[in-house]
């Protein structure tokens, strides 16, 4: 059995998937498979993947689902994954030629330790790091502790031990199509630390139709998913003011969209002081979200 599953969620990305496929064909190690979960594409994605499969250059598993959102595709991929490592690579990005080789070499050095997985570097095509520097003197850290406690910012390549994430899933709201990845990662933070590696293995290209470029619209179009994120950040964040701000945004969305709080769960409830602080400033965010709703609703 292969060691690594490279998971790619995709929706109408037939125009750029070949770039990722070409980077997978060029890998210096073939100890991986490519799991594609197609989130209801209506373009040429299915026929394109069939063409890739016929070439037999990369082991490819293709699964088609009705359009439900990246988070639902992620849930399905975790359910289907049978390899030791799980690595999500978006459809508009590529890997360096030695990415899988580096992952395997790095993992073999720490796999017997109690770890959740590996953090590695994402870079732009220019070679510049996507994210900030790792905190000085830190080699192992919780998957979201890195951001909450140490002020790290930017995206990283995340390789996870499949066995440790099998029971953790994104919440699904059938009428919505988006839940932030932070909701998933916050649940994983206390399981075991991530190991930090400086190796650049993942080349990013943020396209206009990607999630990163459409966050305001996604917030308003998916109020339950957005409220879940804010509640999760209020629970798992490190700094009090940050937690209060997120809880107030959660309350603002609940009020503005008349959301059912019983459907929104973040693992545990925030403390009393966060709840009180959030209530005191939620009016500001109601006004803000109302403007966004008027623009995107």
């Amino acid at each position: 059995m292969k060691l690594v599953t490279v998971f790619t969620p995709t929706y109408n990305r037939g125009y750029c998937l070949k770039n990722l496929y070409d980077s997978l064909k060029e890998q210096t190690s073939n100890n991986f498979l490519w799991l594609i979960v197609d989130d209801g594409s209506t373009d040429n994605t299915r026929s394109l993947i069939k063409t890739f499969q016929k070439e037999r250059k990369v082991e490819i598993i293709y699964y088609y689902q009705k359009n439900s959102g990246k988070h639902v595709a992620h849930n399905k991929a975790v359910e289907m994954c049978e390899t030791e490592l799980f690595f999500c690579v978006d459809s508009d990005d590529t890997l360096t030629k030695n990415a899988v080789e580096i992952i395997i070499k790095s993992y073999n050095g720490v796999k017997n330790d109690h770890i959740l997985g590996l953090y590695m570097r994402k870079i732009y095509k220019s070679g510049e790091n996507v994210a900030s520097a790792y905190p000085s003197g830190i080699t192992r850290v919780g998957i979201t502790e890195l951001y909450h406690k140490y002020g790290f910012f930017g995206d990283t390549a995340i390789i996870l031990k499949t066995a440790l994430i099998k029971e953790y899933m994104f919440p699904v709201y059938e009428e919505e199509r988006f839940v932030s990845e932070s909701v998933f990662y916050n649940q994983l933070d206390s399981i075991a630390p991530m190991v930090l590696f400086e190796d650049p293995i993942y080349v990013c290209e943020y396209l206009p139709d990607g999630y990163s470029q459409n966050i305001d619209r996604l917030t308003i179009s998916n109020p339950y998913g957005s409220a879940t994120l804010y509640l999760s950040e209020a629970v798992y964040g490190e700094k009090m003011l940050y937690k209060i701000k997120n809880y107030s945004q959660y309350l603002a969305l609940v009020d503005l969209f008349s959301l059912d709080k019983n459907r929104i769960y973040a693992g545990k409830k925030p403390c009393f002081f966060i709840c009180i602080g959030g209530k005191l400033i939620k009016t500001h965010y109601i006004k803000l979200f109302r403007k966004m709703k008027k623009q995107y609703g």
Side-chain angles (χ1 to χ4, degrees), residues 168-171 182-191 232 236:
Y168 297 92
M169 296 288 170
F170 285 89
S182 295
V183 173
F184 174 70
Y185 293 132
N186 280 340
Q187 298 177 76
L188 306 181
D189 192 69
S190 62
I191 295 175
S232 178
Y236 292 100

Side-chain angles (χ1 to χ4, degrees), residues 15 35 51 57 81 90 102 122 127 129 131 182 206 210 230 271:
Y15 67 92
L35 171 59
T51 301
K57 299 291 186 180
C81 186
D90 288 337
I102 289 174
K122 286 186 178 183
N129 277 331
S182 295
Y206 295 105
Y230 291 130
C271 74

